[in-house]
Amino acid sequence: LINLGHEVATAHNGIQGIALARGFRPDVLLCDIGLPSMNGYEVARYFRNDNELKDVFLIALSGYAHPEDLKLALESGFHRHLAKPVQLTTLEETLEGIT
């Protein structure tokens, strides 16, 4: 699937996302925090501790948007935290800002 010029793959929970990422090798991961089976914080920690996935740029995309949620996201390994509902322009600007 191509979206806004980016190749996109979708998973519906953390375990599927990790398995998909191993084959897909994304540059960026957009990850919800409130996932079934494995929450987004756990997914981020997994990525950071995996030699094959540790360099993926992680963006939390979540309705959990209190200051403590942002702190937890950054501590678990996310580079950015975007609160839902995110404006498309904000997402585009975030993706464009990744170097």
Side-chain angles (χ1 to χ4, degrees):
L1 175 67
I2 303 291
N3 252 343
L4 300 173
H6 302 279
E7 188 175 354
V8 177
T10 304
H12 298 285
N13 64 53
I15 294 169
Q16 287 177 351
I18 289 168
L20 183 61
R22 290 193 161 287
F24 186 71
R25 300 297 176 124
D27 295 318
V28 177
L29 174 75
L30 298 174
C31 185
D32 196 354
I33 299 298
L35 296 171
S37 75
M38 181 182 212
N39 69 41
Y41 303 126
E42 293 169 314
V43 170
R45 283 191 289 273
Y46 185 94
F47 268 65
R48 291 294 160 245
N49 291 309
D50 184 282
N51 285 333
E52 296 178 25
L53 301 172
K54 68 182 178 183
D55 295 325
V56 174
F57 194 90
L58 302 180
I59 301 172
L61 184 61
S62 179
Y64 302 126
H66 295 286
E68 60 271 14
D69 300 317
L70 174 59
K71 182 177 184 257
L72 282 171
L74 296 177
E75 287 174 351
S76 65
F78 284 99
H79 294 94
R80 300 280 187 281
H81 182 284
L82 301 177
K84 286 182 189 177
V86 65
Q87 296 293 319
L88 183 57
T89 55
T90 301
L91 180 56
E92 289 175 316
E93 289 169 2
T94 301
L95 293 173
E96 287 172 6
I98 297 171
T99 56

